[in-house]
Amino acid sequence: MKRFFTILGHRPLASVSLTVLVVLYFAMAFCEVFSPYDPTKLFPQASDHPPNLTWYSSKLGFGPQVQRMVMIDEVSRQYVRIQGEYDRILVGVQGDPVKLWGWIPLSWHLFGTNLRGGADPVFLFGTDNLGRDLFSRILYGARISLTIGFVGVAVSLTLALFLGGLAGYFGGFWDWLIMRLCELIILIPGLYLLLFLRSILSDKMDSAQSFALITIILSFVSWPGMARLVRGVVHSLKRADFVTNARQENMPPLTILFRHILPQMSSFLILSITLGIPGFILGETALSYLGLGITDPAFSWGSLISRDATSLDNLVHFPWLFLPGVFLIVVSLAFNFLGEFLRDLSDPHAKELL
Amino acid sequence: MNSHFEDFMVVEKVVKRYRVEAGFFSRSTQEITAVNGVSLSWRQGETYGLVGESGSGKSTLARLMGFLEQPTEGKLTVASADADVSSQRPATRYIFQDPASSMDPRCTAAQILTWGARYQKGFNGPRDALNRARHLMQEVGLNPQDLEKRPGEFSGGQRQRLALARALMSEPKALICDEIVSALDVSVQGQILRLLLDLKQQHGLGLFFISHDLAVVTYLSDRIGVMYGGQLLEEAPAEVWTRGPVHPYSKLLKDSRSLDQGEGFEAVNPQGCPFSGRCPLVQPKCLTETPPWKKIGPDHRAACHEL
Amino acid sequence: MKPLLEVRDLEVTLGSRTNPIQAVRGVSWGVLPGECLGIIGESGAGKSVSALAALGLLPKAHLQGEVFLDGERLDQLSPAQMRSRRVKTAMIFQEPSRSFDPITNFEATFRETLRAYNPGLGKQEARQRAHSLWKEVQLNQPETRLKSYPHQLSGGMLQRVMIALALANNPEVLICDEPTTALDVTVQRQILKLLAALKVSRSLAMVFISHDLALVSEIADRLVVMYGGLILESGPVGELLTSPASPYTQALWSSRILPGSHWTKDPLQVIPGLPPDPRQPLTGCPFAPRCSRADADCTTLPPLTGLNRQVRCHHPLSNGEML
């Protein structure tokens, strides 16, 4: 562990990535607290409201505060800043009642403005066209976007390791069967399979069901490629001297497979995990973008992008609506950088990492 | 000279063939005969030295005797008087030439030593295994505090010591050492050989010692077998053999006079004497008939038409 | 005669700046045309590094000292200039089977090597040169064999091809880095014989690096015994072996196993302990912790004394004395 942090200290990109991911996942886990408003709450007077956070005003001095903005054109949704009208952003306010993780009732929010006292709401990242706070929506949307990667990779990697490992280690009939199955799945164009499966199953589903369905579809499509790689490595390692030596010690085949052979692949596995997670996130985004993923009222980063960031016009006039996309890119990059670092760390031959 | 000893392992007409896959579309698969009908008996507590050039099949024979592979024909029997055979306890332990590749690079020395112990007879829990590991580390001349190190952190000689300790964890009756000092510095070779002799005496181990280095094999062994082209050509007590080998191949080998740069042996479907292609005394029947064994002296036999 | 390749006070540091490895700590040797210099040492003694670094083949190494090739100072040349000088040198490595491209046949390999310094060489001409080289290393049937691939030849034959390739551009210096270690004993002898013959016929300046003193003594004219990055002893091979002055040389020589000896009669002479860690700075004689003659004097580094016959020891063995 000490080695981990020493080496991490010498890898600025990896440490930034790790920090970003930790912060994001933490915020996602407690998004009810971190977000100032319910993500579905409408602010009727604030459609397409730009971000209104400022750090200084002559009235309140330095500190986080919001400046009042008023819409002057209902059609083009243009806002003007009102001079001299500032409200302080407070840490810890009573606001909308929410349920943490769906069952702990709570109305305390980490930050916000004194709405009941007539203050303006805070929109860190602005609002969408219905006047919903984008910051809260990104945090809530992360629940789906950030977990689908983990769940999806866990499912597909388990399948790949188990089936690929069996095929590689035992060979013969099982090898033949599993590999042909992989090829069959790889043969089917992935996107069409997704569309097909989604369309026959998508009659009426709530968000939890469609989430589970998307995860399963994505894992099902992505395991064969990994399984083939696993099978190849296992196949070549099973004749290695140290495996023969373990067999000589009467170690059962499955123990050898999981203790000696698969750990040799850890750098490969770490890479597949860290590259796979953004893959799943993007997969979900793609599905949502096509309207086959998460649909209203549930939402994810993908559906946020597909809903708000689809027209050039929107991007020109309301650039903050593209922020979910920025989050997506940042998370993908962070996973890549972190994966590279972890791969180096897990390589027993790489001694000089500093 | 050691004839009063009981047999430990009897090898009877063992043949090992490997299939060579010629390609995806080819119908016929070629076969390579690595070991071609070898019979020998390895006695209790004896050091049997096997010499031969690379490709002579000595390593394959060793792997068969270590029960790492199954022979195509023939059989190997561990003496029935040995009560332990029926149990899980392996009677022999094969030790690899390259200790670096025979240990999982990700495991610590402690894991290398103790993980296998669970599957051996006489396993008394992980703590006992760790104690034995510590004890054995000391016995092979390693510092027990290095149990947390990984194989990559040891030097070549230390790794081979660790390999010996690992082999002894299963309390074998005999060790099969396949070129275990060939990859080491000359000065380290001596240390490992001395350790091997110490271990042999303390644990009453039999050794099956394979090397292409004649000086080392004759130094260590009680009896010597000479292998060529998958067959055993001569077998004699080490002392007798160093004084006077009788087989033409043994003679050339002992003088380490260059065996010209012949092609060696035809590995696929051999007939007759395997050495016939390079033998200075070759006769027509050497090409077609496998030479029979002839008794030269006590414990001394050779297979050659010319004797 | 002037040495063809000479290093003076060579120091080589490998590894990163935070974790430096002092592989060679000040070594001087030279090799004359038609002479074979044997460099002996255990792994980590710096024997290969000193030769490789001298020819600029360890790009990450940090060098100090002087290197002369045919009277020209090498260590101050740019990498490009170095490359042009390197045509005078050639190397043979330990594992012939790993040094070849498995999907290129020998003729193409030869052609490529020959063209490295003669870019315009024609295909026919290259083939002829390859033929004569093939025969020079005592391989037969060049017509058919040149078309074969590395996996079709045995280790000993591959090593011969390696030697032929090394000779392709008529080098004057041949560095052999453990060329026989991976080979069978019988094949080792053949390769040694071949190298000895080539040394004479081409009057090569040969550097033969090995850990096997008995083996090197068969080919070398002079020996350099290295330990812990330093020369402990050097001199003509006959003198050095009949009356070694350094206890290390003597221990190394007597720890070899004589043919015909048996453990029941001849106890094994072993040098106890481990070679020094090149990461640590030297405190005194590097061999002192393993030396039976070491005493309080040995906590300081002894100087290398002598000219033709050099020794670095506070308590050298006198003529023929045994430990």
Side-chain angles (χ1 to χ4, degrees):
Chain A
M1 212 54 200
K2 198 182 160 201
R3 178 167 169 265
F4 178 86
F5 283 111
T6 328
I7 296 168
L8 192 64
H10 288 78
R11 294 287 199 92
L13 214 51
S15 22
V16 169
S17 302
L18 185 65
T19 319
V20 165
L21 289 179
V22 168
V23 166
L24 272 178
Y25 273 90
F26 189 72
M28 171 209 91
F30 297 95
C31 64
E32 286 88 349
V33 177
F34 280 96
S35 61
Y37 310 110
D38 187 305
T40 52
K41 179 176 179 176
L42 306 175
F43 292 88
Q45 297 306 309
S47 320
D48 290 327
H49 193 289
N52 59 1
L53 172 78
T54 48
W55 291 96
Y56 174 76
S57 68
S58 49
K59 183 182 166 197
L60 296 172
F62 286 99
Q65 48 203 283
V66 297
Q67 185 172 18
R68 169 161 300 172
M69 295 178 130
V70 167
M71 202 192 296
I72 54 161
D73 183 348
E74 297 255 337
V75 181
S76 65
R77 307 234 162 118
Q78 271 187 319
Y79 284 79
V80 289
R81 291 165 187 269
I82 309 292
Q83 242 177 356
E85 299 262 355
Y86 293 95
D87 292 301
R88 208 178 275 287
I89 295 175
L90 309 165
V91 175
V93 290
Q94 295 295 320
D96 303 327
V98 287
K99 284 187 171 165
L100 182 60
W101 300 324
W103 55 280
I104 304 172
L106 187 85
S107 61
W108 189 86
H109 295 265
L110 184 68
F111 68 95
T113 50
N114 188 1
L115 274 183
R116 285 167 202 168
D120 270 356
V122 54
F123 301 124
L124 282 187
F125 291 167
T127 65
D128 65 7
N129 65 341
L130 296 178
R132 295 179 290 201
D133 178 31
L134 192 59
F135 180 72
S136 306
R137 287 177 73 77
I138 287 178
L139 283 191
Y140 276 85
R143 282 248 162 114
I144 286 177
S145 289
L146 292 184
T147 46
I148 200 165
F150 271 108
V151 178
V153 165
V155 173
S156 69
L157 203 64
T158 312
L159 277 174
L161 278 181
F162 196 72
L163 293 175
L166 286 185
Y169 194 80
F170 293 104
F173 172 71
W174 290 109
D175 188 18
W176 184 88
L177 187 72
I178 293 169
M179 285 304 112
R180 295 303 87 77
L181 184 65
C182 287
E183 279 153 19
L184 198 69
I185 295 172
I186 290 172
L187 269 177
I188 304 169
L191 192 64
Y192 295 106
L193 183 69
L194 283 176
L195 297 179
F196 171 70
L197 288 176
R198 188 66 181 89
S199 62
I200 58 166
L201 294 168
S202 74
D203 253 8
K204 282 194 187 92
M205 278 194 286
D206 62 14
S207 59
Q209 279 172 331
S210 58
F211 173 79
L213 184 69
I214 290 168
T215 319
I216 289 167
I217 293 175
L218 286 173
S219 325
F220 181 71
V221 173
S222 70
W223 74 265
M226 269 193 254
R228 290 221 295 198
L229 284 171
V230 171
R231 181 247 174 204
V233 177
V234 172
H235 192 76
S236 68
L237 277 177
K238 76 174 177 188
R239 286 186 188 81
D241 279 354
F242 65 87
V243 174
T244 316
N245 215 347
R247 209 176 291 147
Q248 191 179 199
E249 283 172 341
N250 297 337
M251 203 181 256
L254 276 180
T255 317
I256 293 181
L257 186 61
F258 283 100
R259 260 199 185 164
H260 289 301
I261 297 183
L262 293 181
Q264 307 305 320
M265 307 177 57
S266 60
S267 33
F268 160 74
L269 292 181
I270 287 169
L271 266 191
S272 331
I273 291 171
T274 48
L275 292 179
I277 289 174
F280 276 96
I281 298 175
L282 293 172
E284 181 270 326
T285 310
L287 277 185
S288 300
Y289 188 82
L290 293 170
L292 297 167
I294 310 290
T295 47
D296 270 343
F299 53 90
S300 67
W301 290 356
S303 69
L304 287 181
I305 294 173
S306 72
R307 188 177 176 281
D308 297 326
T310 42
S311 79
L312 201 59
D313 198 46
N314 262 4
L315 290 186
V316 172
H317 294 106
F318 317 117
W320 57 88
L321 290 177
F322 191 60
L323 277 167
V326 173
F327 271 79
L328 197 68
I329 293 168
V330 167
V331 167
S332 299
L333 281 178
F335 270 114
N336 280 322
F337 292 139
L338 190 69
E340 202 170 292
F341 161 73
L342 288 176
R343 183 200 54 199
D344 291 351
L345 192 74
S346 74
D347 185 354
H349 302 294
K351 276 184 183 165
E352 306 278 331
L353 284 171
L354 300 182
Chain B
M1 95 190 187
N2 290 325
S3 47
H4 58 280
F5 281 125
E6 283 175 44
D7 287 341
F8 169 65
M9 186 190 285
V10 178
V11 179
E12 280 170 279
K13 291 181 186 154
V14 161
V15 175
K16 179 72 186 175
R17 291 196 196 94
Y18 290 105
R19 237 195 250 153
V20 186
E21 281 168 32
F24 188 74
F25 291 108
S26 79
R27 285 282 178 85
S28 62
T29 47
Q30 280 189 313
E31 283 196 331
I32 282 186
T33 311
V35 174
N36 190 12
V38 169
S39 304
L40 60 87
S41 61
W42 177 17
R43 292 161 194 158
Q44 210 90 45
E46 177 191 45
T47 306
Y48 191 102
L50 194 63
V51 285
E53 292 170 272
S54 46
S56 61
K58 55 190 197 307
S59 267
T60 310
L61 180 62
R63 292 175 81 92
L64 291 172
M65 291 174 70
F67 297 101
L68 298 184
E69 285 173 45
Q70 294 296 315
T72 319
E73 286 169 30
K75 62 175 182 178
L76 299 111
T77 23
V78 176
S80 56
D82 192 338
D84 283 318
V85 175
S86 54
S87 74
Q88 286 206 317
R89 179 167 151 189
T92 61
R93 244 338 256 270
Y94 180 90
I95 301 175
F96 293 79
Q97 169 175 7
D98 182 5
S101 73
S102 70
M103 295 177 208
D104 189 337
R106 284 168 191 277
C107 293
T108 63
Q111 289 168 337
I112 285 168
L113 292 177
T114 56
W115 274 3
R118 182 177 296 274
Y119 311 101
Q120 317 285 342
K121 198 190 145 202
F123 176 69
N124 275 336
R127 191 163 296 169
D128 170 67
L130 196 62
N131 275 335
R132 275 177 48 217
R134 209 167 274 138
H135 186 77
L136 279 170
M137 286 282 275
Q138 227 150 18
E139 197 175 338
V140 299
L142 290 172
N143 188 346
Q145 282 167 349
D146 289 345
L147 272 172
E148 287 311 309
K149 282 193 185 172
R150 280 165 217 283
E153 297 169 63
F154 291 100
S155 72
Q158 286 175 321
R159 266 197 293 259
Q160 201 56 282
R161 285 170 193 269
L162 190 61
L164 284 170
R166 179 182 185 176
L168 292 176
M169 282 295 287
S170 58
E171 293 176 15
K173 291 266 175 184
L175 300 181
I176 295 168
C177 309
D178 189 0
E179 303 267 15
I180 64 164
V181 295
S182 305
L184 303 173
D185 272 4
V186 172
S187 54
V188 183
Q189 281 187 9
Q191 295 180 348
I192 298 293
L193 291 179
R194 179 182 271 189
L195 174 66
L196 205 56
L197 286 172
D198 287 350
L199 293 176
K200 170 188 161 67
Q201 278 161 330
Q202 285 195 352
H203 295 257
L205 293 172
L207 292 179
F208 196 82
F209 194 87
I210 295 166
S211 176
H212 63 253
D213 191 340
L214 271 182
V216 173
V217 176
T218 48
Y219 180 79
L220 223 56
S221 308
D222 301 324
R223 245 179 351 139
I224 286 200
V226 180
M227 230 179 142
Y228 187 88
Q231 293 185 22
L232 206 59
L233 295 185
E234 185 170 1
E235 197 182 56
E239 228 176 320
V240 175
W241 192 85
T242 32
R243 258 189 279 119
V246 293
H247 196 281
Y249 175 66
S250 308
K251 285 180 181 166
L252 281 174
L253 192 68
K254 188 185 163 243
D255 298 345
S256 84
R257 225 189 303 142
S258 68
L259 297 156
D260 307 332
Q261 33 146 144
E263 282 311 271
F265 27 84
E266 190 63 25
V268 180
N269 192 21
Q271 277 196 330
C273 172
F275 189 53
S276 53
R278 292 160 85 181
C279 185
L281 312 172
V282 65
Q283 286 184 344
K285 71 171 171 182
C286 298
L287 301 175
T288 50
E289 282 176 47
T290 308
W293 282 106
K294 280 173 196 150
K295 198 167 162 60
I296 311 293
D299 263 357
H300 189 175
R301 57 181 184 144
C304 181
H305 289 299
E306 270 301 292
L307 293 172
Chain C
M1 236 190 321
K2 272 188 73 177
L4 201 56
L5 176 67
E6 188 179 10
V7 299
R8 282 189 206 150
D9 302 319
L10 184 71
E11 288 181 31
V12 185
T13 313
L14 303 172
S16 61
R17 212 170 301 144
T18 49
N19 191 12
I21 300 167
Q22 266 267 248
V24 181
R25 307 176 195 251
V27 161
S28 308
W29 47 255
V31 55
L32 302 166
E35 183 194 48
C36 178
L37 176 79
I39 304 183
I40 280 289
E42 292 171 68
S43 35
K47 52 192 192 309
S48 304
V49 172
S50 66
L52 291 176
L55 296 181
L57 291 172
L58 297 175
K60 285 188 178 161
H62 180 73
L63 250 73
Q64 271 187 320
E66 299 169 344
V67 182
F68 294 92
L69 179 65
D70 212 359
E72 185 185 19
R73 184 130 180 221
L74 273 192
D75 49 309
Q76 288 169 338
L77 295 180
S78 71
Q81 289 171 312
M82 195 77 164
R83 217 167 295 136
S84 69
R85 307 301 189 277
R86 222 179 275 147
V87 68
K88 290 181 188 169
T89 66
M91 289 209 65
I92 314 171
F93 297 97
Q94 181 172 345
E95 289 258 344
S97 51
R98 286 188 201 165
S99 310
F100 285 97
D101 179 351
I103 55 162
T104 311
N105 71 14
F106 292 118
E107 191 178 320
T109 312
F110 270 100
R111 194 163 56 233
E112 201 178 303
T113 309
L114 288 164
R115 279 182 181 167
Y117 291 101
N118 311 301
L121 196 71
K123 208 171 175 177
Q124 275 303 321
E125 216 176 324
R127 184 176 301 152
Q128 272 165 12
R129 293 270 295 279
H131 274 213
S132 65
L133 286 164
W134 194 264
K135 283 183 188 140
E136 194 177 350
V137 295
Q138 294 159 25
L139 287 166
N140 46 24
Q141 304 166 3
E143 301 79 18
T144 51
R145 287 275 180 75
L146 267 174
K147 296 268 187 231
S148 54
Y149 288 85
H151 71 269
Q152 293 171 303
L153 297 194
S154 67
M157 290 162 91
L158 277 181
Q159 193 60 286
R160 284 171 191 270
V161 181
M162 274 292 280
I163 295 171
L165 277 172
L167 298 175
N169 289 303
N170 300 316
E172 294 166 39
V173 178
L174 183 64
I175 294 180
C176 313
D177 190 359
E178 308 248 8
T180 61
T181 307
L183 303 175
D184 273 0
V185 177
T186 46
V187 184
Q188 280 184 8
R189 292 285 180 287
Q190 300 170 22
I191 298 289
L192 277 191
K193 249 191 223 168
L194 173 67
L195 285 173
L198 289 171
K199 180 190 78 176
V200 176
S201 65
R202 286 187 169 241
S203 79
L204 287 169
M206 195 181 283
V207 180
F208 194 99
I209 299 162
S210 176
H211 66 261
D212 190 339
L213 187 52
L215 188 87
V216 179
S217 63
E218 288 182 27
I219 184 170
D221 303 303
R222 272 185 321 116
L223 276 182
V224 168
V225 181
M226 282 189 74
Y227 189 84
L230 287 168
I231 294 181
L232 288 194
E233 186 169 10
S234 76
V237 67
E239 253 180 74
L240 202 103
L241 294 183
T242 46
S243 59
S246 163
Y248 178 59
T249 317
Q250 148 87 88
L252 213 54
W253 186 235
S254 57
S255 70
R256 75 200 196 282
I257 294 171
L258 290 170
S261 58
H262 199 257
W263 64 277
T264 44
K265 283 173 279 178
D266 315 280
L268 201 57
Q269 302 285 326
V270 170
I271 312 175
L274 293 173
D277 184 355
R279 277 171 221 248
Q280 306 295 327
L282 273 189
T283 52
C285 175
F287 187 57
R290 301 168 76 181
C291 183
S292 56
R293 289 164 79 91
D295 60 14
D297 295 348
C298 299
T299 51
T300 58
L301 182 64
L304 192 62
T305 54
L307 277 171
N308 188 32
R309 183 75 203 281
Q310 293 176 305
V311 179
R312 188 193 289 277
C313 186
H314 284 301
H315 308 290
L317 300 153
S318 51
N319 225 345
E321 187 183 351
M322 298 300 271
L323 277 173

